[in-house]
């Protein structure tokens, strides 16, 4: 996922601040203008906050300083968290200094939180912000760690653009798209099996909203027919241009999420696909084995022996204690031990 393609989640949030000087309201930090800025009164511990409305994994925060009196932002603290009490949230970064009108980026490493707060500890402080950006993705969206592919690709509308945490509503091409073809499909490999509660699909905003009509969402573990033979979670009758619709999958288990539009002369365009659920789901396998060994295979060291052979993430339990069968090879050689695991 390229950070440069993430959307500013703050734009969809609700802003507030500790006080308002004249008409310098908190929303001015999200208006996209460099000639306006927020402004608190001179007070103790002034703060500005954006409620992202949902819990995000925040990768980075950008701050643009006011064009005059920029020294006021020195030692401001950026916090991410789920608490209205500022100091209960985790520190992402401290702004040691930032030049007048300058923009800097602060890495938050995927910190989880609904709120992003900027505050300046101390007495008789003023907090002014020209622009603020909060970039990341919704916590719980397992699609962002997956791998995407599709039946064909129109120009640079690659499959990965449907899982880049950008709903593609601001500029193009930030969506995936196939060519005009028969039964176009898009597939997400979650890399592990998940219990999927819902899939969120965002339709394109520029034109052709009807092209999503009739798309099927499949979930399962098979790659037969490119994954389109897996069970259907939902059929998409229609999604208005630029809208995101949720489809409940009720805990269906699967490694692959497929979208396909059945029929001839179809184009499948996806501006974002989000997948929410629990997992990875661990699967148990029971294997009947026969070993020819002089080593006691009930010993815990068997796990390391298997690891040396390439079998990792294995938990060993005997349904029955292995039987030791002594076989005489010949009188001059040591005994072989045949252990049968039943």
């Amino acid at each position: 996922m390229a950070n440069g393609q993430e959307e500013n989640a703050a734009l969809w949030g609700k802003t507030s601040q500790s006080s308002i000087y004249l008409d310098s309201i908190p929303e001015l930090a999200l208006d996209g203008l460099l000639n306006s800025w927020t402004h608190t009164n001179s007070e103790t511990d002034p703060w500005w906050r954006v409620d992202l409305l949902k819990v995000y994994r925040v990768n980075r925060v950008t701050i643009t300083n006011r064009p005059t009196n920029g020294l006021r932002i020195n030692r401001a603290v950026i916090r991410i968290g789920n608490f209205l009490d500022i100091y209960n949230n985790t520190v992402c970064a401290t702004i040691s200094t930032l030049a007048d009108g300058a923009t800097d980026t602060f890495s938050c490493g995927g910190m989880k939180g609904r709120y992003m707060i900027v505050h300046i500890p101390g007495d008789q402080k003023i907090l002014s912000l020209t622009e603020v950006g909060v970039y990341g993705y919704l916590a719980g969206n397992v699609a962002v760690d997956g791998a995407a592919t599709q039946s064909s690709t129109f120009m640079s509308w690659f499959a990965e653009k449907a899982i880049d945490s950008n709903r593609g509503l601001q500029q193009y091409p930030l969506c995936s798209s196939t060519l005009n073809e028969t039964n176009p499909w898009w597939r997400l490999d979650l890399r592990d099996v998940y219990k999927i509660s819902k899939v969120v699909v965002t339709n394109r905003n520029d034109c052709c909203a009807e092209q999503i009509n009739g798309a099927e969402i499949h979930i399962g573990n098979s790659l037969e027919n490119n994954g389109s033979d897996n069970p259907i979670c939902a059929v998409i009758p229609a999604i208005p241009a630029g809208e995101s619709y949720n489809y409940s999958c009720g805990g269906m288990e699967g490694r692959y999420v497929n979208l396909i539009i059945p029929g001839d002369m179809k184009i499948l365009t996806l501006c974002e696909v989000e997948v929410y659920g629990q997992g990875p789901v661990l699967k148990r396998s029971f294997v009947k084995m026969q070993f020819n060994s002089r080593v006691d295979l009930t010993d815990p060291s068997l796990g390391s022996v298997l690891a040396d052979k390439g079998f990792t993430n294995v938990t060993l339990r005997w349904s029955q204690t292995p039987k030791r069968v002594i076989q005489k090879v010949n009188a001059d050689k040591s005994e072989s031990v045949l252990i049968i695991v039943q």
Side-chain angles (χ1 to χ4, degrees):
M1 179 176 59
N3 284 342
Q5 292 186 337
E6 294 169 336
E7 286 182 306
N8 181 4
L11 296 176
W12 319 114
K14 295 182 178 180
T15 57
S16 57
Q17 63 188 34
S18 53
S19 62
I20 298 175
Y21 175 74
L22 298 177
D23 58 351
S24 298
I25 57 177
E27 290 83 357
L28 294 179
L30 302 177
D31 64 1
L33 303 175
L34 299 179
N35 60 355
S36 67
W37 50 86
T38 70
H39 197 303
T40 68
N41 295 321
S42 178
E43 58 185 329
T44 299
D45 300 340
W47 55 264
W48 180 94
R49 178 174 62 222
V50 58
D51 178 356
L52 302 173
L53 305 180
K54 295 180 180 179
V55 177
Y56 278 76
R57 294 183 66 94
V58 178
N59 291 330
R60 60 194 173 99
V61 171
T62 59
I63 302 290
T64 301
N65 201 5
R66 57 180 293 165
T68 58
N69 298 314
L71 291 175
R72 290 175 176 172
I73 204 170
N74 291 359
R75 309 308 302 168
V77 178
I78 300 170
R79 292 178 182 263
I80 307 292
N82 295 310
F83 303 98
L84 291 174
D85 183 338
I86 291 173
Y87 292 95
N88 282 337
N89 298 298
T90 306
V91 173
C92 161
T94 298
I95 305 172
S96 57
T97 185
L98 189 57
D100 289 5
T103 300
D104 204 352
T105 299
F106 303 89
S107 175
C108 297
M111 293 172 60
K112 288 185 180 181
R114 172 174 172 173
Y115 304 108
M116 193 286 288
I117 306 102
V118 181
H119 70 102
I120 303 181
D123 298 327
Q124 296 188 12
K125 301 291 185 179
I126 295 173
L127 177 60
S128 285
L129 301 168
T130 296
E131 285 297 308
V132 173
V134 181
Y135 299 88
Y137 54 89
L138 285 171
N141 177 15
V142 298
V144 296
D145 295 320
T149 187
Q150 58 191 6
S151 52
S152 62
T153 300
F154 172 70
M155 297 183 70
S156 61
W157 296 52
F158 303 114
E160 294 83 0
K161 293 186 176 181
I163 55 170
D164 64 0
S165 297
N166 188 328
R167 292 186 171 181
L169 307 180
Q170 296 172 326
Q171 55 181 315
Y172 295 93
L174 294 179
C175 307
S176 70
S177 182
T178 69
L179 300 171
N180 191 334
E181 60 183 335
T182 300
N183 302 332
W185 55 265
W186 178 94
R187 183 175 70 240
L188 172 65
D189 180 357
L190 297 173
R191 305 182 194 273
D192 282 295
V193 176
Y194 285 81
K195 286 189 174 183
I196 297 172
S197 57
K198 69 175 179 178
V199 175
V200 182
V201 179
T202 301
N203 200 7
R204 63 189 299 170
N205 191 41
D206 55 341
C207 74
C208 320
E210 73 285 350
Q211 289 181 347
I212 196 75
N213 296 0
E216 301 172 351
I217 302 173
H218 295 252
I219 293 173
N221 296 309
S222 172
L223 286 176
E224 291 292 328
N225 193 21
N226 296 305
S228 298
D229 286 348
N230 288 314
I232 292 179
C233 159
V235 177
I236 302 174
I239 300 177
E243 294 292 318
S244 301
Y245 275 22
N246 297 349
Y247 300 92
S248 176
C249 298
M252 291 176 64
E253 290 191 7
R255 172 174 172 171
Y256 304 107
V257 177
N258 279 63
L259 280 85
I260 181 172
I261 302 183
D264 298 326
M265 304 292 288
K266 302 289 185 179
I267 298 172
L268 177 58
T269 302
L270 300 167
C271 285
E272 194 69 14
V273 176
E274 302 161 38
V275 180
Y276 298 90
Q278 297 179 336
V281 178
L282 297 178
K283 295 290 187 180
R284 292 183 177 181
S285 297
F286 297 90
V287 180
K288 185 175 181 179
M289 298 179 291
Q290 180 171 303
F291 293 92
N292 188 359
S293 173
R294 293 191 179 98
V295 179
D296 182 359
L297 296 184
T298 61
D299 188 276
S301 62
L302 176 59
S304 61
V305 174
L306 291 175
D308 291 341
K309 299 295 184 180
F311 297 97
T312 58
N313 297 322
V314 175
T315 300
L316 294 173
R317 289 190 181 92
W318 302 117
S319 58
Q320 296 180 21
T321 302
K323 295 178 180 179
R324 297 173 60 86
V325 180
I326 308 299
Q327 293 182 335
K328 294 288 186 181
V329 178
N330 58 53
D332 297 327
K333 295 185 179 180
S334 59
E335 298 172 336
S336 293
V337 180
L338 178 64
I339 297 185
I340 302 174
V341 181
Q342 296 180 324

